[in-house]
Amino acid sequence: MDDVHFRRVDAWTMLGEAASSADDAWQEGVPVEAAWALTFHDLHPDARQVVRASAVLNGPSISLVSMAAAGGFSMSRLNEVLDVASEAGWGRHVEDRFEVAPGARAFLRNLVLSMPANAVRLMLDRIGGAVIAATDEVKAVPPAIRADIIGVIRAANRLGEPALVARVARAAWHVVTPDVSLAWCKQLAEHGEQAAIAVRDPALLVELLDSSARTYSAGGDWQAAERAWLRALAVLDRTSTSERFVDFLGLLATNYRRWGRLHKMADTLLEVVALHQREGDPVKTAEALAAVGTTLFEAGRLDAAIQHLESANRLLQELPDDDVVARARRSVVLGDLGQVYAERGAINTARTCYHRALASALDIGDDAIATRIRELQATLPSV
């Protein structure tokens, strides 16, 4: 028997000895790639299938959900198959994942390269479907499959399958919850957005950018949220209606408020004003002007705040008396104006604004606005 054969037998013997206990199976450097090849071919066909699934995702571990889907196994059958794979030293079953033996990773990388592309594609499609179903079932991204989602995406990218990447990313974003780390979300965003560009789907790109921006803003990464919404707006400018564009400007403005960038918020709301002016909608224009005014008030720019709130008031004043929506909005604007004048020290002007606002609110029967105005009146010094 030649030296190579003896070395293989020796490696096989060491692998068998290493697999005799969980601790020994993880001793670094004991298994060699030749031994992995030998034991792989000696495995039961079902066990080879779960090993292939590990190879396709090319990660340190794989969820049982993904393994079952890749092999077409029931969970009970999968557990039996994993026992076989574990006994042969391929890894260990830890809760809801199978951790691949570190020494096997080099062999697995070569194994996936030797698999027919269609076989890899089919397995990836099955795993992708499984992780989508798993997230949809619990309306979350369970920790056990987060690594699988990124693994599917990376493998699909290597195969040149952006449609699968986009499908998995879109499904994941629908159920991302606050417990998911922003670092993981940024990986999902990067791959998903690249895939949407590759498949030339601007609507999907906007959806993915919006999903990531909402997550970043909720998680306190306002700069990342700003970048994502600005990119979404750049696409919407060419592909969507002005209503959709205004919605995104509003989200961006809210992000600036959370960030404490009130001047940027005001600038963003001025874009909303310009859009409504072009559309000839006086009520929405007035609402946007009032939002700019209250934002500038928060920023301490009293004169500019008064200027925008007075403009909003004039627009609403010109509308017919039977327009209840406009009258209600004017009552709110007058209340906001009163606050700014009071802060500026113009108490009589503030009192006049509150008086007009209360009269209008009572006339249209809006108790909520009337209550708010009375509360504001109570803050003024006595005559």
Side-chain angles (χ1 to χ4, degrees), residues 38-382:
L38 274 173
T39 188
F40 176 76
H41 292 296
D42 284 345
L43 281 174
H44 185 279
D46 287 351
R48 287 202 298 270
Q49 190 72 341
V50 299
V51 170
R52 289 190 185 98
S54 301
V56 166
L57 290 196
N58 190 32
S61 65
I62 179 173
S63 73
L64 303 193
V65 168
S66 296
M67 274 195 158
F73 303 126
S74 66
M75 277 298 174
S76 59
R77 176 55 183 159
L78 177 64
N79 285 322
E80 294 172 355
V81 173
L82 289 181
D83 287 343
V84 173
S86 297
E87 288 171 6
W90 286 96
R92 58 185 179 184
H93 182 179
V94 180
E95 296 181 349
D96 44 13
R97 295 189 70 80
F98 182 75
E99 294 183 356
V100 179
R105 295 288 300 281
F107 170 78
L108 293 178
R109 283 193 293 271
N110 289 329
L111 176 63
V112 75
L113 293 175
S114 70
M115 291 170 61
N118 285 341
V120 177
R121 192 173 287 111
L122 175 61
M123 193 170 281
L124 270 180
D125 195 61
R126 287 178 177 175
I127 296 173
V131 297
I132 288 172
T135 59
D136 186 61
E137 182 179 357
V138 297
K139 303 305 178 189
V141 186
I145 66 167
R146 289 174 195 170
D148 290 10
I149 289 174
I150 301 301
V152 168
I153 285 173
R154 286 175 173 164
N157 276 332
R158 288 193 296 270
L159 268 182
E161 292 289 336
L164 176 58
V165 175
R167 183 159 59 92
V168 172
R170 183 174 186 266
W173 275 122
H174 281 180
V175 292
V176 164
T177 48
D179 64 300
V180 181
S181 74
L182 290 183
W184 186 88
C185 289
K186 287 179 178 180
Q187 289 186 72
L188 180 67
E190 180 183 356
H191 291 298
E193 290 155 21
Q194 288 174 354
I197 293 169
V199 298
R200 299 180 182 277
D201 190 337
L204 175 61
L205 177 58
V206 168
E207 180 183 340
L208 296 178
L209 286 166
D210 179 39
S211 296
S212 63
R214 289 172 189 265
T215 299
Y216 300 150
S217 187
D221 193 340
W222 298 294
Q223 189 171 27
E226 176 192 37
R227 284 195 300 267
W229 269 316
L230 286 174
R231 287 182 62 201
L233 284 164
V235 178
L236 280 173
D237 193 34
R238 299 187 297 270
T239 65
S240 189
T241 63
S242 58
E243 182 179 356
R244 182 76 164 138
F245 196 85
V246 167
D247 288 343
F248 275 72
L249 284 173
L251 291 166
L252 180 60
T254 301
N255 183 67
Y256 286 136
R257 177 186 291 282
R258 291 173 175 168
W259 196 358
R261 303 294 182 90
L262 294 178
H263 291 88
K264 277 195 168 186
M265 180 181 178
D267 289 343
T268 302
L269 291 172
L270 282 171
E271 293 188 51
V272 178
V273 171
L275 283 170
H276 289 318
Q277 284 176 330
R278 286 200 297 269
E279 292 173 347
D281 190 324
V283 174
K284 288 185 177 179
T285 300
E287 288 176 344
L289 281 166
V292 175
T294 55
T295 301
L296 292 170
F297 175 47
E298 287 183 60
R301 295 176 57 188
L302 302 186
D303 289 345
I306 289 171
Q307 177 187 343
H308 288 88
L309 286 167
E310 288 285 14
S311 295
N313 181 45
R314 284 193 296 272
L315 272 177
L316 294 167
Q317 193 173 10
E318 293 171 359
L319 297 177
D321 287 342
D322 60 356
D323 190 332
V324 177
V325 173
R327 292 188 66 186
R329 188 59 195 145
R330 183 173 180 237
S331 297
V332 173
V333 169
L334 284 167
D336 292 337
L337 261 172
Q339 280 188 284
V340 183
Y341 279 122
E343 181 69 19
R344 193 178 173 188
I347 303 302
N348 289 335
T349 306
R351 188 173 282 114
T352 300
C353 289
Y354 289 152
H355 176 76
R356 291 174 180 171
L358 182 60
S360 179
L362 292 172
D363 191 38
I364 61 176
D366 196 315
D367 294 336
I369 295 177
T371 298
R372 175 177 177 268
I373 299 302
R374 288 192 180 101
E375 290 171 350
L376 290 171
Q377 284 180 319
T379 65
L380 294 177
S382 301

